[in-house]
Each structure stands twice: as C-alpha cells, then as structure tokens.
Amino acid sequence: INSGLDGGMALVSTQTAPAGTSSIAFTSGLGDYDEIVFYFTNIQHSSDDKILSFQVSTDGGSSYGVAITSTNFYASHAWSWSNTAQVSYDASRDLANSTSYQLLTQSSDNGGTITGSNASGELHMFGCASTTYAKQWYARVGNIFYIESVIDNFTGGFINSASAINAINFKPDSNTFKGTIAMYGIS
C-alpha cells in the first residue's frame, strides 16, 4: 500500500478480536506519524442492533474521554422490505464537544438474517502528536443492517485537545464483538 506521500504507509499493529471481546485498544505508535489510518475488517457484534464506536486518550489509555465534535451522514439501500435508497443526515451520531464514545456505524447485525454480515471500513486521524492543535479525523464504514439494508456511513470531526493523542479504544456501544482492526502510519 502506498499513500502517495513521501513516507508511504507502514503497518504499525494489527489486532484480531475473537468472539466475546469487549474492546480493542491501541496504546502506542499514534504519535509517530503525521496520519494514522485504522482499517476495520469483518467487525461482527454478539447481538443485533449494535454500533461500532471509538474514543481517545491523552494519558496512555488510563482513561478515555477526550472532547469530540463531529457530524454524520449515511447512504443506504433497503432491498427486502421497501427497496428504497436514501441519503440521510443523522444528528443522533453528532457530538458537540462531548466526551462520549463516537458512533461510527448505524445498527449492525450479528448475522441473523444475513449470514456473515459485518461492518468494515476505515478511520483516518491527523496530527495525533500535536501539542498545539485540535486533531482532525474522518471515517467511512459500511455495514449491513439486520433487516437487509446496506449502509455506507460517513463521520468526521475533530478531537478538541491540544494534548497529544496516545491511545484509542474501539468497542461496540454495548455487548461484545469480533473482527480485525489494523493500524497504519503515514509519514
């Protein structure tokens, strides 16, 4: 993989969560690159109607709860009950200088009506090492809604802290999940 930037992309870490995992944290390497990219592959929740989320830390992962401001919209196509397509702004995913976990998907299935359904996508974070500026980020994650709808989620915002971001935690909004998250750095 080459980003087209001088340093290209370097794999920093990969974590594969077995079924029953409550969260995945990355606690090193975030400040070593200008841009960090997380790739989510086959994230599957332990029960229906769960949502992948993240929050960051400035204290090495001792606590997660840095203020985030964000917005979200999504495109969807439901084929089983209405055969409709739409693009929607979702204010319920917005954070306004909140220390809550940021939601990255709409409700995801655990494979009930669609065998092997999951969420996959990416999160880009910029300038995690900065002790001067807020940190910009954006995510695009696709998932299958349990009643047979595909959803393409677009979320973006900034982390409102002049402290360096040195840890990030991913988890479902409740219950557990499984899947792989890989972290790449771009110089």
Side-chain angles (χ1 to χ4, degrees), residues 70-153:
S70 64
T71 191
N72 173 276
F73 74 94
Y74 65 92
S76 67
H77 183 195
W79 65 86
S80 69
W81 70 94
S82 65
N83 198 28
T84 59
Q86 67 179 3
V87 175
S88 299
Y89 164 65
D90 190 350
S92 72
R93 302 291 191 269
D94 290 359
L95 295 179
N97 208 37
S98 171
T99 58
S100 297
Y101 271 69
Q102 174 65 55
L103 303 178
L104 293 175
T105 64
Q106 300 297 313
S107 295
S108 286
D109 185 24
N110 72 338
T113 55
I114 303 293
T115 302
S117 67
N118 60 71
S120 295
E122 60 191 34
L123 166 66
H124 295 251
M125 299 183 77
F126 303 90
C128 290
S130 175
T131 56
T132 304
Y133 301 107
K135 287 68 173 166
Q136 303 291 322
W137 63 270
Y138 70 90
R140 183 176 183 187
V141 184
N143 70 279
I144 298 173
F145 186 49
Y146 79 102
I147 46 180
E148 300 179 4
S149 174
V150 64
I151 303 173
D152 196 1
N153 303 275

Side-chain angles (χ1 to χ4, degrees), residues 1-185:
I1 298 175
N2 190 326
S3 69
L5 300 175
D6 290 341
M9 289 182 77
L11 177 61
V12 178
S13 178
T14 299
Q15 295 188 46
T16 299
T21 300
S22 59
S23 68
I24 291 177
F26 292 83
T27 58
S28 63
L30 277 80
D32 297 341
Y33 299 91
D34 298 326
E35 179 183 354
I36 297 293
V37 183
F38 295 94
Y39 289 103
F40 315 107
T41 306
N42 299 325
I43 302 297
Q44 192 172 45
H45 300 288
S46 60
S47 58
D48 289 343
D49 297 325
K50 301 305 172 222
I51 302 165
L52 181 64
S53 67
F54 83 92
Q55 183 47 272
V56 299
S57 174
T58 59
D59 63 10
S62 295
S63 64
Y64 293 93
V66 180
I68 296 175
T69 298
S70 64
T71 191
N72 173 276
F73 74 94
Y74 65 92
S76 67
H77 183 195
W79 65 86
S80 69
W81 70 94
S82 65
N83 198 28
T84 59
Q86 67 179 3
V87 175
S88 299
Y89 164 65
D90 190 350
S92 72
R93 302 291 191 269
D94 290 359
L95 295 179
N97 208 37
S98 171
T99 58
S100 297
Y101 271 69
Q102 174 65 55
L103 303 178
L104 293 175
T105 64
Q106 300 297 313
S107 295
S108 286
D109 185 24
N110 72 338
T113 55
I114 303 293
T115 302
S117 67
N118 60 71
S120 295
E122 60 191 34
L123 166 66
H124 295 251
M125 299 183 77
F126 303 90
C128 290
S130 175
T131 56
T132 304
Y133 301 107
K135 287 68 173 166
Q136 303 291 322
W137 63 270
Y138 70 90
R140 183 176 183 187
V141 184
N143 70 279
I144 298 173
F145 186 49
Y146 79 102
I147 46 180
E148 300 179 4
S149 174
V150 64
I151 303 173
D152 196 1
N153 303 275
F154 298 84
T155 311
F158 66 93
I159 299 163
N160 192 12
S161 176
S163 298
I165 302 301
N166 52 29
I168 186 168
N169 190 45
F170 297 96
K171 68 177 189 172
D173 61 329
S174 65
N175 293 49
T176 61
F177 72 118
K178 65 181 179 178
T180 300
I181 302 177
M183 178 176 135
Y184 286 83

